[in-house]
Amino acid sequence: MKTKKALLGLTVDELKDVAAEVGLPAYAGKQMARWLYVRGVNDIGMMTDLPKKGRETLATLYEVGMAAPTDCQRSTDGTVKYLFPTENGRTVETVFIPDGERGTLCVSSQIGCRMGCRFCMTARQGFEGNLSVRDILNQLYSLPERERLTNVVFMGQGEPMDNLDAVLKATRLLTAEYGWAWSPKRITVSTVGVAPGLERFLAESECHLAISLHNPFPDERRAAMPAENAYSLTDFIALLKKHDWSHQRRLSFEYIVFEGLNDMPRHARELARLLGAMACRVNLIRFHTIPDTPYKGASEEKMTWMRDYLTAHGVTTTIRTSRGEDIMAACGLLNTAKKQENKII
């Protein structure tokens, strides 16, 4: 039987083309967009302002494309980790983080990752493919807590700038008037500093940007983050300093603090020198230990000292609250390989 194509992930113009394909007028594309992105239906038969014959023809070629999570784990702090099926028959993890009236979704952009960061469980999974726009949006549209979402961060599995076409299209659909009509300021996209994608992202998107920095010295950063070989922090910092940050877009730097590796006074001094002239924020992150690793998290005293030092030297710095560590949902802990091997799908 021929596989049906998904409507989820198509722009309004692409939906107009679909309408023409099945013999519907062009305005039916806007009607489909409303059903998909505003009302969130999961069945073409529910698109009741389309002619019945048109819906029937549409349903022979297309499906909405939503797919419910196949597994979930709940943390004692309220964080929920979901396992979603993907179009290529694999799975990907997504994390919902409730915090009072805020609900943040940590979205994945790839199955695994090829950046190879030594302290990250996703890197150990290896790279198993890019997520489609449909796969990315499905993490939001099929989320049980969908109505509670206030923010989305592309900080799950994968390197967003390594799958930039899909990430940009997904964010455009979330911010489009016919989509969720969100402000781009409710969306943050992270990167280890993939320069070609970063340059394009700055030009084509108004979403917030988060840089996974973790060490201000290129040689030391390279030891933990092999991507430094291809995308030097010297180059992407220069690119960021040339950009105009006066239009409410937020720039932040993520910094996991490791004991004895990047928590010394010389690291703090270099961070202050490197970032001091930029309108940015540093988020200090506790390291969540992974099996068979030489890395250890810095003490609370050291993290507090580093926060206070950077803030006193003109770099606004906070210590990020850890969430979901007990269900392997915190920073750097996402990895679906074990679930896939055990066929929990």
Side-chain angles (χ1 to χ4, degrees), residues 190-217:
S190 70
T191 179
V192 299
V194 177
L198 179 56
E199 189 166 12
R200 186 177 158 205
F201 174 81
L202 291 173
E204 297 183 26
S205 175
E206 295 181 2
C207 296
H208 293 319
L209 176 66
I211 303 290
S212 296
L213 186 60
H214 310 312
N215 202 302
F217 297 107

Side-chain angles (χ1 to χ4, degrees), residues 257 263 298-308 319:
V257 189
D263 64 343
S299 67
E300 288 297 311
E301 292 78 11
K302 184 59 70 71
M303 293 189 70
T304 300
W305 172 84
M306 183 169 276
R307 178 198 63 192
D308 293 346
I319 298 174

Side-chain angles (χ1 to χ4, degrees), residues 72-82 93-97 323-330 333-335 339:
C72 78
Q73 293 176 274
R74 299 182 183 275
S75 169
T76 55
D77 64 24
T79 299
V80 188
K81 181 170 69 172
Y82 288 103
E93 290 186 332
T94 308
V95 180
F96 174 70
I97 308 166
R323 300 290 299 272
E325 186 175 1
D326 58 326
I327 58 170
M328 297 287 283
L333 296 185
L334 298 186
N335 184 304
K339 287 188 173 67

Side-chain angles (χ1 to χ4, degrees), residues 40 44 70 121 157 254 343:
I44 289 172
T70 57
M121 285 294 291
Q157 289 184 257
E254 311 297 295
K343 296 182 170 53

Side-chain angles (χ1 to χ4, degrees), residues 31-197:
Q31 292 173 306
M32 283 188 273
R34 190 179 308 114
W35 285 110
L36 286 170
Y37 300 124
V38 178
R39 297 172 180 170
V41 300
N42 58 11
D43 189 326
I44 289 172
M46 299 172 69
M47 300 181 179
T48 52
D49 57 359
L50 299 181
K52 183 178 179 182
K53 184 177 179 181
R55 277 180 278 153
E56 291 173 348
T57 304
L58 183 62
T60 64
L61 300 174
Y62 290 87
E63 61 184 359
V64 169
M66 292 184 183
T70 57
D71 189 28
C72 78
Q73 293 176 274
R74 299 182 183 275
S75 169
T76 55
D77 64 24
T79 299
V80 188
K81 181 170 69 172
Y82 288 103
L83 189 71
F84 280 100
T86 65
E87 285 189 301
N88 66 2
R90 302 197 70 80
T91 54
V92 71
E93 290 186 332
T94 308
V95 180
F96 174 70
I97 308 166
D99 184 14
E101 295 183 356
R102 289 171 58 92
T104 299
L105 192 67
C106 185
V107 172
S108 294
S109 56
Q110 295 179 314
I111 306 169
C113 184
R114 56 177 140 217
M115 296 299 110
C117 297
R118 312 293 190 205
F119 46 82
C120 179
M121 285 294 291
T122 304
R124 292 190 178 186
Q125 180 175 335
F127 178 69
E128 299 181 18
N130 285 326
L131 295 184
S132 66
V133 180
R134 175 263 171 201
D135 288 331
I136 293 172
L137 290 179
N138 185 59
Q139 296 169 69
L140 289 82
Y141 280 83
S142 295
L143 184 77
E145 296 86 356
R146 171 181 165 176
E147 298 304 318
R148 296 172 59 188
L149 282 183
T150 60
N151 300 84
V152 168
V153 294
F154 282 78
M155 296 181 181
Q157 289 184 257
E159 163 56 57
M161 302 297 167
D162 195 32
N163 187 21
L164 189 56
D165 284 339
V167 168
L168 284 176
K169 188 175 181 182
T171 59
R172 289 185 188 119
L173 285 166
L174 290 173
T175 56
E177 289 185 9
Y178 61 84
W180 278 15
W182 269 18
S183 163
K185 308 306 182 292
R186 295 170 70 175
I187 302 170
T188 300
V189 179
S190 70
T191 179
V192 299
V194 177

Side-chain angles (χ1 to χ4, degrees), residues 199-254:
E199 189 166 12
R200 186 177 158 205
F201 174 81
L202 291 173
E204 297 183 26
S205 175
E206 295 181 2
C207 296
H208 293 319
L209 176 66
I211 303 290
S212 296
L213 186 60
H214 310 312
N215 202 302
F217 297 107
D219 288 345
E220 294 181 22
R221 186 174 189 261
R222 186 176 297 112
M225 303 176 69
E228 175 68 24
N229 288 304
Y231 310 113
S232 170
L233 74 83
T234 303
D235 294 337
F236 67 70
I237 291 293
L239 174 63
L240 294 171
K241 285 185 174 180
K242 290 190 296 183
H243 186 70
D244 181 4
W245 296 97
S246 63
H247 300 293
Q248 296 186 323
R249 169 189 273 173
R250 184 174 64 241
L251 171 64
S252 60
F253 290 88
E254 311 297 295

